[in-house]
């Protein structure tokens, strides 16, 4: 047990006041390390009043999309900032990409290939899940991109 605790503490390099955020960020950082993606992180918040489910939906999908895109780029990077801005939690994520970003009817089209028995896979639902979680929580979402950089900015109420 002691050996496993030591191993676990060595992998937990990111620490915050939210165990949910810390765990999620540590797991995504390991993936970035394995994929040679630079993961720059800034955390500046105290208490989190947003549900764990909402946090995981938003941050998990943001980082999954960022990792997928940055892993296909030379010198892939992800810059994530999570901070308290008055009564809101501010989330900013920026990453590089080298894909042609496509939209149809105002929705992003996934570049991931549909494989397996069901060609109507769940690819492409990440941004929709993020948008739904932010809107349901009364927050705002802004997405910007060009030929090499994709960024997402979220403000979500963070108070009791």
């Amino acid at each position: 047990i002691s050996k496993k605790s030591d191993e676990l503490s060595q992998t937990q390099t990111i620490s915050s006041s939210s165990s949910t955020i810390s765990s999620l960020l540590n797991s995504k950082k390991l993936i970035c390390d394995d994929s040679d993606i630079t993961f720059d992180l800034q955390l500046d918040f105290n208490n989190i009043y947003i549900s764990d489910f909402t946090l995981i939906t938003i941050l998990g999908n943001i980082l999954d999309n960022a990792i997928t895109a940055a892993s296909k780029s030379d010198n892939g990077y992800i810059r994530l900032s999570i901070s308290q801005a008055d009564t809101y939690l501010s989330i900013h994520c920026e990453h590089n990409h080298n894909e042609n970003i496509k939209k149809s009817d105002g929705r992003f089209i996934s570049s991931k290939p549909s494989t397996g028995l069901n060609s109507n896979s769940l690819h492409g639902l990440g941004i929709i899940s993020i948008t739904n979680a932010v809107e349901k929580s009364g927050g705002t979402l802004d997405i910007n991109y060009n030929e090499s950089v994709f960024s997402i900015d979220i403000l979500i109420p963070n108070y009791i």
Side-chain angles (χ1 to χ4, degrees):
I1 292 174
S2 177
K3 181 179 177 188
K4 289 296 177 193
S5 289
D6 288 343
E7 289 173 3
L8 184 59
S9 69
Q10 290 171 3
T11 62
Q12 298 290 320
T13 60
I14 300 168
S15 180
S16 75
S17 61
S18 166
S19 60
T20 300
I21 291 175
S22 297
S23 296
L24 181 66
L25 294 179
N26 277 296
S27 69
K28 300 304 181 185
K29 183 181 183 324
L30 289 173
I31 295 168
C32 287
D33 291 347
D34 288 344
S35 302
D36 292 324
I37 298 169
T38 301
F39 187 61
D40 293 324
L41 179 64
Q42 293 181 341
L43 302 176
D44 185 16
F45 59 87
N46 289 320
N47 298 317
I48 298 292
Y49 301 105
I50 301 164
S51 76
D52 287 349
F53 180 78
T54 299
L55 285 172
I56 291 168
T57 298
I58 293 170
L59 289 173
N61 280 296
I62 287 172
L63 291 171
D64 286 346
N65 289 347
I67 289 167
T68 297
S71 68
K72 297 175 185 176
S73 300
D74 292 333
N75 301 312
Y77 72 85
I78 299 170
R79 295 182 188 121
L80 178 67
S81 169
I82 305 172
S83 60
Q84 188 69 32
D86 198 21
T87 58
Y88 288 83
L89 190 68
S90 171
I91 301 169
H92 171 79
C93 185
E94 175 182 302
H95 62 84
N96 59 341
H97 70 89
N98 63 7
E99 297 178 307
N100 183 17
I101 295 175
K102 298 177 186 173
K103 288 177 86 173
S104 175
D105 297 324
R107 294 169 70 173
F108 288 94
I109 310 244
S110 176
S111 63
K112 296 176 187 173
S114 295
T115 58
L117 297 175
N118 182 2
S119 63
N120 294 326
S121 67
L122 298 178
H123 293 311
L125 295 180
I127 295 287
I128 295 168
S129 297
I130 294 166
T131 302
N132 290 341
V134 169
E135 289 177 355
K136 184 177 178 182
S137 299
T140 61
L141 170 86
D142 187 34
I143 296 174
N144 292 293
Y145 58 92
N146 60 33
E147 64 279 347
S148 62
V149 178
F150 187 97
S151 69
I152 186 165
D153 290 285
I154 295 172
L155 285 174
I156 189 166
N158 184 37
Y159 54 86
I160 297 176

